Amino acid sequence: MHGEIAPGQSLTLRGIGADFGVSMTPAREAIRRLSAEGALTMSSSGRVSTPELNNERIEELAALRSLLEVELASRALPRAHIALIDRLQSINARVAEDIARQDAVAYIRRNLEFHRTLYLRAQAPAMLAMAETVWLQLGPTMRALYGRLRRKDPPHFHRLIIAALKAGDEPSLRLAVRSDVTQGLRMLVG
Amino acid sequence: MHGEIAPGQSLTLRGIGADFGVSMTPAREAIRRLSAEGALTMSSSGRVSTPELNNERIEELAALRSLLEVELASRALPRAHIALIDRLQSINARVAEDIARQDAVAYIRRNLEFHRTLYLRAQAPAMLAMAETVWLQLGPTMRALYGRLRRKDPPHFHRLIIAALKAGDEPSLRLAVRSDVTQGLRMLVG
DNA sequence: CATGCACCCATGTGATCACAAAATTCGCTC
DNA sequence: GAGCGAATTTTGTGATCACATGGGTGCATG
């Protein structure tokens, strides 16, 4: 999910088991679970690797993020009190630090933490789980994107999200979330 | 997914293995996968059972169905030619038969086949997979619903969906799908 | 030097086992 | 007869093994 593994990297049961000091069995179960969520692809022979997404698939997953996360943000809005907004702002500050440090993995993790913190307030666990499944599928690809894109600016749309939350402005919030979610992936496709 | 198992039914690895004539290992992997998709719940001790959904969860899953399936139908619309509509109509006729026979499992299966046939045209595999995940989570509960509800009428909203497809009318299609998806679950909650 | 083939090693699958923990059942006591 | 505790059975977990298969490497041949 955090882009620590590059797209197309192949994984073996015995290798994962050795990495974590366990036998094949727990590694198998973990891989089975991740495959079920679409985070790993299994070849016909049962070999697993992180997916290499084509542009169509990336656009589809971006559309899914947009659908799910706009709804989650919308549901979180009425419950978003000042304490939550403060936390979002502090997370956002750390996002800026990660960008300054050019640490792609930390940036992705913190960015997702920003989103998850907001969506937790939606009180919609199934919906949040689906959003996280999409994140999982995009993880390796996002790393490839943000590793390439060497930007310095702190995330613009995060500020818009926070502003819309403060104002209690649902249409603006929906637009800001959609923009934030789509923006990064749009340039990966382009 | 088809409601063959009642909500809250507990399953054991050895039992499933025996049912399918295999050892625990394949049963374990299947259960792990289904748990990852939310189709089964695991207790802290690792025991698995089909979920018993409360009203909040049902409403959330209905909202997810609405979000995903409206989008899928909308994407399928431009590609929906007459051959597809014919197939939908013939599936719909068999849905009516299943209702007449009071066969809940067959009805659920056929109803989902109707939806899947339409959504396949959307060419959005990740989105369809998420919709099917929601179906999986609702399976046992849907059975409990349709087993209770002893209705005789063929599905009204399916006709509206077909009519909207024929007319190429996207707003009507979106409304019809949302209604069809929400209708059944609304009375389960109520 | 390229290409095809054969061999070998790596890898996933299903089965079985030992073990620990939890649930159920049985019996005892009040 | 009801409640509680101990014993037994059930059940999930992790490990290990045999086996089949697919991939990769290296060698031989044109």
Side-chain angles (χ1 to χ4, degrees):
Chain A
M1 185 185 287
H2 301 141
E4 289 158 35
I5 309 182
Q9 183 151 139
S10 65
L11 304 169
T12 65
L13 295 181
R14 289 172 175 84
I16 293 171
D19 287 349
F20 291 89
V22 294
S23 79
M24 294 167 56
T25 311
R28 249 208 284 198
E29 298 190 353
I31 274 192
R32 273 306 220 272
R33 174 179 168 189
L34 290 168
S35 301
E37 296 184 86
L40 296 174
T41 61
M42 293 186 66
S43 79
S44 59
S45 66
R47 290 173 137 104
V48 294
S49 58
T50 50
E52 295 180 285
L53 307 179
N54 58 23
N55 283 355
E56 280 181 6
R57 184 59 69 96
I58 291 171
E59 277 175 343
E60 193 191 340
L61 291 171
L64 270 172
R65 280 199 66 178
S66 184
L67 268 180
L68 295 171
E69 299 191 28
V70 164
E71 177 71 18
L72 281 164
S74 180
R75 288 179 178 227
L77 176 58
R79 308 169 186 259
H81 302 320
I82 188 64
L84 176 69
I85 295 176
D86 282 348
R87 277 177 59 205
L88 290 175
Q89 269 171 330
S90 96
I91 295 173
N92 208 23
R94 312 184 89 161
V95 171
E97 290 173 21
D98 293 328
I99 291 177
R101 280 213 322 278
Q102 301 278 5
D103 186 340
V105 171
Y107 166 69
I108 293 173
R109 179 176 333 196
R110 200 89 67 182
N111 180 46
L112 294 182
E113 184 190 349
F114 179 91
H115 286 266
R116 186 178 2 237
T117 300
L118 174 58
Y119 304 151
L120 269 174
R121 271 302 203 291
Q123 302 278 44
M127 216 173 274
L128 179 55
M130 305 227 100
E132 292 191 308
T133 293
V134 180
W135 297 349
L136 215 44
Q137 295 184 46
L138 282 169
T141 302
M142 293 216 299
R143 161 65 177 283
L145 164 63
Y146 293 113
R148 225 186 295 165
L149 150 73
R150 301 235 158 266
R151 71 172 182 181
K152 302 267 188 199
D153 352 325
H156 174 55
F157 291 115
H158 281 198
R159 293 183 178 279
L160 291 184
I161 290 172
I162 290 172
L165 285 172
K166 276 184 178 160
D169 181 349
E170 191 192 337
S172 298
L173 178 64
R174 296 178 83 95
L175 178 61
V177 170
R178 172 160 48 243
S179 304
D180 184 56
V181 156
T182 314
Q183 151 250 16
L185 296 167
R186 194 176 296 280
M187 49 187 55
L188 179 54
V189 172
Chain B
M1 185 187 287
H2 300 140
E4 290 157 36
I5 309 182
Q9 183 152 137
S10 64
L11 303 169
T12 65
L13 294 181
R14 289 169 176 87
I16 293 171
D19 287 349
F20 291 90
V22 295
S23 78
M24 294 168 54
T25 311
R28 247 208 286 198
E29 297 190 354
I31 275 193
R32 274 305 221 270
R33 174 180 167 191
L34 289 168
S35 302
E37 296 184 85
L40 296 173
T41 61
M42 292 186 66
S43 79
S44 59
S45 66
R47 303 224 154 134
V48 294
S49 59
T50 50
E52 295 180 286
L53 307 179
N54 57 23
N55 283 355
E56 279 181 6
R57 184 59 69 95
I58 292 172
E59 277 177 342
E60 193 189 341
L61 291 171
L64 269 172
R65 280 199 67 178
S66 184
L67 267 181
L68 295 170
E69 299 192 29
V70 164
E71 177 72 17
L72 280 164
S74 179
R75 288 177 177 228
L77 178 58
R79 307 168 187 260
H81 303 319
I82 188 64
L84 176 70
I85 295 175
D86 283 347
R87 278 178 58 206
L88 290 175
Q89 269 170 331
S90 95
I91 295 173
N92 208 22
R94 312 185 89 163
V95 171
E97 291 173 22
D98 293 328
I99 290 177
R101 281 212 321 279
Q102 301 278 4
D103 186 340
V105 171
Y107 165 69
I108 292 172
R109 179 175 333 191
R110 201 89 68 185
N111 180 47
L112 294 182
E113 184 190 349
F114 179 91
H115 286 267
R116 183 172 13 230
T117 301
L118 173 58
Y119 305 151
L120 269 174
R121 272 302 203 291
Q123 303 277 46
M127 217 173 273
L128 178 55
M130 305 226 102
E132 292 191 307
T133 293
V134 179
W135 297 348
L136 215 45
Q137 296 185 44
L138 282 169
T141 301
M142 293 217 297
R143 160 67 177 282
L145 165 64
Y146 293 113
R148 226 185 293 168
L149 151 73
R150 301 235 159 265
R151 71 171 183 183
K152 302 267 188 197
D153 353 324
H156 173 55
F157 292 115
H158 282 198
R159 294 183 177 278
L160 291 184
I161 291 172
I162 290 172
L165 286 172
K166 276 183 178 161
D169 181 349
E170 193 192 336
S172 298
L173 179 63
R174 297 177 82 96
L175 177 61
V177 171
R178 173 160 47 239
S179 305
D180 184 56
V181 155
T182 313
Q183 152 251 15
L185 297 167
R186 194 174 297 279
M187 49 187 57
L188 180 54
V189 172

